[in-house]
Structures are given as structure tokens and as C-alpha cells.
Amino acid sequence: MKLTISRSKNATLYYVQKSYRTESGKSSTRTVERLGTLAEVEARFGKENTMAAVKNYIRELTKADKELKRDVTVKLSQSTLIPKGEQRSYNGGYLFLQKIYYELGLDKICKKISKKYKNEYDLNSILSMLLYTRILYPGSKLSSLEDAKKFFEQPEAEIHQVYRAMSLLAKESDAIQAAVYKNSLGLGKRQTQVIYYDCTNYYFEIEEESGIRKYGQSKEHRPNPIVQMGLFTDMDGMPLAFCINPGNTAETTTLKPLEDKLRDNFGISKVVVCTDGGLASYENRKNDDVGERAFITVQSLKKLGKDLQDWALQRTGWKMIVKDKDGKRNFSDNEYNLDELNMEEYGDKLFCRERYIKVGKKGEELEQRLIVTYSLKYKNYLQHVRDKQVAIAQGLIDRGAAGKLSSSQNNPKRFIKQEACTNDGELAEIQNFTINQEMIEQEARFDGFYGICTDLKGPAPEIIKVNGGRWIIEDCFRITKTDFKARPVFLQRDDRIKAHFLTCFLALLMYKLLEKKVNRGGLRFSPAEIIGTLQNMNFLAISGEGYIPTYTRTDLTNNLHGSAGFRTDTQIVSKQRMKAIITESKKY
């Protein structure tokens, strides 16, 4: 390498350049580093003996470059035992998570909290360990400490310090969420024009309620106490904020407090809130029908009045949604009769109609648009699901196992009818169970139809498209429950339970940011592929030389390295180079 000087009328610039040969064998040069103007060079290397300091710096770069090119020969003996207790394998997949951890400024957030509470343990080391292991090796806090020993950098913390740190993190949960959101803006624009909100719950393998662990309606239908999580995501599926409530909390009451946090702590007030039907109470709609806020929510057609139901299920007067040359969705000019549609021609088409309706007490009515869609594919899907449930119900009847009936919309027993009276009206000694054909016919009326309510005035096709993005929040819940194994929860204290879900939230944000970075160039990788690859990015330590990657290089590992700005996939990585990579993973 050498120092080159470029002179022009405006300035003199100094560069470090390297000679090399092209694939055709021709000699060429490339710039390794721009040192800047003379003033910048003197500011960096000092005004005394400046050029000598620069040349010494270039010699060090040349030495490091030659070290990377040095061939390594390793002698191994078939008769020599490996040292007892010596760690020979390390995981380097966490380095790609560490890059995002520091880009989010979580180290600075930990430093600020530690200064506030004057704690003696390393909060940054503990939090980063909890986040990396939640993604790579999900388990208990004790197992996380053990699993973290697989990393090149290993936390020096005791389990009691981990629990103390969790209590501290719970106190600062709201502040951490707000700070991480603001820091994330430096990694790219957040799509907060529309935010999605939903609730789920997590169970505990205990029998008695305690603290925020309450009996409620479990998503897994388990008879265990649960806690409830409410989560906001942006349009890209990036987590924004979350809340933890007792398991018996009504979902509809959780939306407004978290919206207030977004406004007060995040500075997010101009939003469209998109929710499912379970959160679509009149109060929530009214709350979002003010100022710069708006709402889009699922509307159950079965809960509408008879007049509106008749209008929604009418067979004529439907418009088909089409795309124009620019890809924008709009309505067709023609109107369609649903009875004249066939699967071959219209199976993947969506039809729509809309009108304004009013809900609420007289004088306090809320005016909103009711948008109803119809799809032959959705109709066939609902018919298929119902046929399977009816078959299950018939099987229960045949086995004499109908038992206690249910009216739940997802329970097959809702299709069972119980008759317990004789023809003369007296109480029957024997109960008779049959399939409720009237219930089947009633549900079949709504096959293919789907309702949305909103106070927005934009084109209905675009509103339908936005509402269709609600799957991304369901995907977030699936990742935390399945890939991060956030349930069952074994913690006892309320503050540590909340801290557990804070670490799940932060781990989810880190994973989503990494997923966005690696899913590029037309390639799309699943959570299982990304997490599995990170878990398997192991290295064999070679005494005195460095580390040999033992993982398979793939398109995914190429994208991981490209997103992080460093490479670990050479045949061997020297100890010096690995130290530099670790340092690089902490730059932001």
C-alpha cells in the first residue's frame, strides 16, 4: 500500500491506495481509504512529523493485509488428546444480532439506566445476553447464562444479577421502548402511517392465580392462568410498542392507554389504527375518530342489524376490484351479480360494495363507512372449514360424546342441537343430540362475505389492501411463541414477568430488522432458515492461529455478511481478525 496525493484547484486530498491485478492480469490500483485534506490529516495524525505518522499507519495496514493472505498450516496428532475442559467451539451467529443491538443504541440506553440507579453489575452485558439467547437458544434465564458460553464474548454475571437486572428493566420498560423507536429511525424510515394492533396471551404452568397471572380466555384453550400482551407494529411488521396486562383484562380496554403512550412518549399522533373485530368497540372507534387519528377495523356482518345484513348480502350491484396500469387498485365500470360468477373466471377476483352507516346513541352517533367484500375463494374456504367441523360434531354424536354444548364460533359443538322434551312437552328422561341444520344454513348465508368499517374517505380498494396487512402482527405473535419460545413463562414476580416480555419485544425488533436486511436481491428467507443459520454459524478454535468456520456458506450467509459489513466465511479467521470483527459488530 502507498500514500497518493490528488491535487486540484480547490483542494489537495490524501489517499491510501493498493496495487492489484485484475482478472485479465493487468495491473491496477484501488483506494483503500480516503484520509482527507491536509488539515484533516494533521488533525488525525498530529501536526508534528505528520507524514511519518501517516507512513507508519500505512505500514500497519500493509502488515494486516499480508496477515490476511498468509497461508496457515496446522499440524495435528492422532495420538494426542485434546486438553480437558478446553473450549474448542464457538458460535459467531450472534455477531450479526450484536450489530443491530448496537445500531439500536441499546448499549447507551443501558449505560444511562446504570448511571441512574448506580448498579454494580453490567446491565449491557446481561441485556445483550438475554436478547441473543432468546433468538438463538430460547430457554430459562439460567439456561441463557449457560448457552451464552458458546459465544466468543461471554458474560460475567451471576443468576441473581440477571434477576436484579430484569427488575430494573421492568421499571424502565416504557422509556426503553420509546428510546429504541427513536434510535431505529436512524436505520431507515418507519412506516407508521398505519399501525396494526392486536392482543394475545401467554400461559403459566400453575394452577392458582397470582399477581397479573389471571384466569382468562386462553388462545390455546388451556386451563391455566395467563397474562395478556397488546402489541403495535408498523406497516413493515416492525414492533412499535407493547403492554402487559392481567389475563382477565378485556381486550377492548387495552388500546387507548397504549395509543396515549405512542402520542406522549413516541411523538406518534397522526396514524390510522387497524384492528380486528375483537377490538372494534364503539368506544375505540370513537376514540380514533378525532384529530389526526383514524381507524380501520373488521366488522362482523352477523352482528349488524337485519336491514344492514340484507344490504350486505344482496346478490346484485357489486363492483369488481381491478388494477390500473400503475398498479393502483380501483373499481371496474361494470356491476356484477354474485349468482352469475364462476370459479374458473372469477375465482381469484374480489368484489366490493360500500355505504355509510351510523352507530351509537342518538346525538352521539359515529358515522363510518361499511365496506363489504365477496370472494369465491373465501366462500369455498369457509365451506370447507364448516364441513370439517360438522363432521367432527357428527362424530361426537355417534360416539355419545357430545357432552356440554358450546356456542363459540370456532367450536364444532355449535352445530349440535339438543332435544330434551317429549311431544307433549314433558321433560324427557333421555336427551337426544342431532346436527343443527338451521345453524349450518344460517352460517352459510355469510360464506364469502367480509366486512370492514372505517372513518377514512380514501378509495375502498386501498383501505381493503391496508386491512389485509393485519397478518403481519399475527406473524409477530407466531415468532415470539414458536421461534422464541416465550411460553410457558416460569417467572413469579410481576416485574420480572414484564421484563421477560420486554426482552421478547426487543428480540423481535432485532430479528425483524435483520430479516429486512437479508431478504434482498429477490431472496426471501423464513424465520426458521435465518435463526437456524445463525445457530449453526460455529467456529473451531485452532490454538495459536484462529478459528475455522464449520458452517456451510450459502446465499443467506452471503446476505448476512453483506448486511453486517464484515466477513467470517474465509477458510480460517485469525485471532486478530476475529477481534476486529467483534469490534466492527459494535460500531454504529
Side-chain angles (χ1 to χ4, degrees):
M1 295 187 193
K2 62 180 181 179
L3 176 67
T4 60
I5 304 173
S6 174
R7 293 183 174 87
S8 67
K9 293 181 179 180
N10 298 323
T12 299
L13 297 175
Y14 294 79
Y15 297 88
V16 179
Q17 288 193 332
K18 175 183 176 181
S19 299
Y20 72 100
R21 289 195 176 275
T22 64
E23 293 182 0
S24 61
K26 292 183 179 180
S27 179
S28 184
T29 60
R30 67 179 178 84
T31 298
V32 175
E33 184 179 351
R34 177 187 180 278
L35 299 179
T37 62
L38 179 60
E40 291 173 326
V41 172
E42 289 179 344
R44 178 176 174 181
F45 296 96
K47 291 186 177 181
E48 294 184 7
N49 300 318
T50 305
M51 290 299 110
V54 169
K55 290 178 180 179
N56 185 58
Y57 172 69
I58 294 175
R59 279 194 295 270
E60 291 297 322
L61 289 179
T62 303
K63 182 180 177 182
D65 186 57
K66 287 181 178 179
E67 177 66 20
L68 287 175
K69 292 180 179 179
R70 179 176 64 90
D71 290 336
V72 176
T73 302
V74 179
K75 292 184 178 181
L76 301 175
S77 171
Q78 297 184 66
S79 60
T80 303
L81 296 176
I82 62 175
K84 184 179 180 181
E86 179 182 78
Q87 183 172 357
R88 293 166 57 82
S89 179
Y90 295 87
N91 174 271
Y94 82 97
L95 294 170
F96 301 94
L97 301 172
Q98 183 159 272
K99 181 71 174 177
I100 295 175
Y101 179 93
Y102 278 83
E103 286 176 344
L104 288 173
L106 282 162
D107 60 317
K108 293 181 179 179
I109 294 172
C110 287
K111 185 177 181 180
K112 185 177 180 181
I113 294 174
S114 296
K115 185 177 181 181
K116 177 180 178 181
Y117 291 93
K118 300 179 180 179
N119 51 287
E120 298 176 355
Y121 50 85
D122 189 343
L123 182 62
N124 181 53
S125 176
I126 292 173
L127 178 59
S128 60
M129 177 271 296
L130 290 173
L131 299 189
Y132 305 157
T133 55
R134 177 54 52 189
I135 297 173
L136 299 179
Y137 313 111
S140 67
K141 304 302 173 280
L142 186 59
S143 71
S144 294
L145 267 178
E146 189 65 26
D147 287 328
K149 293 179 182 178
K150 300 174 183 177
F151 302 150
F152 288 110
E153 304 163 277
Q154 301 173 5
E156 297 179 359
E158 302 293 334
I159 188 62
H160 69 89
Q161 293 176 322
V162 174
Y163 287 128
R164 287 171 60 192
M166 292 182 70
S167 298
L168 197 59
L169 292 169
K171 289 181 182 178
E172 298 294 320
S173 179
D174 289 348
I176 292 172
Q177 292 176 60
V180 166
Y181 166 73
K182 292 175 182 176
N183 293 343
S184 73
L185 297 177
L187 304 182
K189 186 178 179 181
R190 297 291 297 267
Q191 302 294 329
T192 57
Q193 307 94 312
V194 177
I195 56 177
Y196 297 98
Y197 181 73
D198 204 354
C199 291
T200 192
N201 48 55
Y202 298 82
Y203 66 89
F204 294 74
E205 292 188 336
I206 57 175
E207 296 182 358
E208 295 184 2
E209 295 181 330
S210 175
I212 61 175
R213 299 174 293 175
K214 300 290 186 182
Y215 284 109
Q217 189 172 357
S218 170
K219 303 289 185 181
E220 289 85 18
H221 308 290
R222 289 175 174 267
N224 303 98
I226 57 177
V227 297
Q228 181 192 91
M229 170 189 270
L231 178 67
F232 268 126
T233 70
D234 64 18
M235 296 181 73
D236 291 328
M238 299 288 176
L240 276 172
F242 81 100
C243 61
I244 294 295
N245 299 300
N248 58 359
T249 305
E251 289 186 355
T252 54
T253 64
T254 64
L255 178 58
K256 186 178 183 301
L258 199 54
E259 284 184 332
D260 292 342
K261 285 184 183 179
L262 286 184
R263 182 192 64 233
D264 298 337
N265 299 346
F266 291 58
I268 300 176
S269 58
K270 186 177 181 180
V271 292
V272 176
V273 181
C274 189
T275 66
D276 66 10
L279 292 153
S281 67
Y282 167 78
E283 290 75 15
N284 284 342
R285 299 187 201 193
K286 193 76 173 175
N287 179 65
D288 286 325
D289 185 47
V290 295
E292 295 180 309
R293 291 204 304 270
F295 68 85
I296 300 173
T297 187
V298 177
Q299 172 63 55
S300 171
L301 300 181
K302 296 176 184 178
K303 294 181 180 180
L304 293 174
K306 185 179 182 306
D307 290 344
L308 286 177
Q309 274 191 11
D310 291 342
W311 172 84
L313 304 181
Q314 189 174 327
R315 311 302 291 180
T316 59
W318 291 81
K319 293 280 190 177
M320 186 169 68
I321 296 178
V322 295
K323 289 184 179 179
D324 60 21
K325 295 180 180 179
D326 298 327
K328 292 184 178 180
R329 298 184 173 196
N330 215 323
F331 286 132
S332 62
D333 295 329
N334 301 328
E335 291 190 351
Y336 292 82
N337 185 327
L338 301 185
D339 294 327
E340 297 174 355
L341 303 179
N342 61 78
M343 193 67 185
E344 183 178 352
E345 185 176 359
Y346 298 103
D348 60 347
K349 303 298 183 182
L350 191 64
F351 299 85
C352 176
R353 66 188 313 172
E354 61 177 318
R355 62 172 289 179
Y356 278 91
I357 63 173
K358 290 184 178 182
V359 295
K361 299 178 181 178
K362 190 173 182 180
E364 299 179 5
E365 294 99 338
L366 172 63
E367 186 175 61
Q368 56 191 329
R369 290 165 69 190
L370 172 61
I371 301 172
V372 182
T373 65
Y374 179 82
S375 164
L376 285 173
K377 188 180 291 186
Y378 186 46
K379 175 187 177 182
N380 289 348
Y381 167 75
L382 293 178
Q383 286 177 339
H384 174 71
V385 172
R386 186 172 57 255
D387 288 346
K388 289 178 66 176
Q389 291 179 335
V390 171
I392 293 172
Q394 185 63 60
L396 293 173
I397 294 172
D398 295 343
R399 297 195 305 271
K404 186 178 179 181
L405 302 186
S406 172
S407 60
S408 172
Q409 64 177 353
N410 295 317
N411 194 323
K413 287 187 176 183
R414 72 186 186 280
F415 295 119
I416 299 177
K417 180 171 62 175
Q418 179 180 358
E419 296 174 342
C421 291
T422 61
N423 291 332
D424 56 7
E426 295 181 2
L427 188 65
E429 295 181 2
I430 300 176
Q431 295 179 335
N432 184 38
F433 296 95
T434 59
I435 292 295
N436 190 337
Q437 293 294 335
E438 185 180 347
M439 174 67 75
I440 295 174
E441 292 172 4
Q442 176 65 18
E443 286 201 8
R445 294 176 59 225
F446 297 92
D447 286 352
F449 296 93
Y450 187 86
I452 301 171
C453 273
T454 182
D455 59 344
L456 292 172
K457 300 186 184 301
E462 293 301 319
I463 293 170
I464 294 168
K465 180 181 178 181
V466 169
N467 180 72
R470 287 191 304 105
W471 67 270
I472 60 178
I473 197 166
E474 294 294 341
D475 186 56
C476 287
F477 288 145
R478 186 200 60 76
I479 291 173
T480 59
K481 291 183 176 183
T482 303
D483 297 298
F484 294 175
K485 294 180 174 59
R487 57 179 184 176
V489 187
F490 298 102
L491 296 163
Q492 304 294 320
R493 287 175 40 169
D494 286 356
D495 58 346
R496 291 171 183 173
I497 291 171
K498 292 178 180 179
H500 167 73
F501 288 106
L502 173 64
T503 61
C504 291
F505 168 84
L506 294 174
L508 178 63
L509 176 59
M510 286 170 52
Y511 168 77
K512 282 289 187 178
L513 288 168
L514 180 63
E515 183 183 64
K516 186 176 181 180
K517 286 184 175 184
V518 301
N519 284 342
R520 55 189 172 82
L523 299 174
R524 291 293 178 269
F525 304 99
S526 69
E529 288 176 309
I530 296 173
I531 294 172
T533 296
L534 294 177
Q535 288 172 339
N536 293 323
M537 293 188 79
N538 296 320
F539 296 78
L540 176 64
I542 303 299
S543 180
E545 293 293 348
Y547 307 92
I548 295 177
T550 60
Y551 59 88
T552 302
R553 183 183 169 208
T554 64
D555 288 334
L556 177 51
T557 63
N558 284 342
N559 281 13
L560 282 167
H561 288 110
S563 70
F566 54 77
R567 301 204 74 93
T568 65
D569 53 358
T570 52
Q571 290 183 351
I572 188 169
V573 182
S574 69
K575 286 189 174 182
Q576 182 181 0
R577 179 58 187 156
M578 186 57 76
K579 288 181 180 179
I581 290 172
I582 292 172
T583 301
E584 182 68 26
S585 72
K586 296 179 180 180
K587 288 183 179 179
Y588 44 87

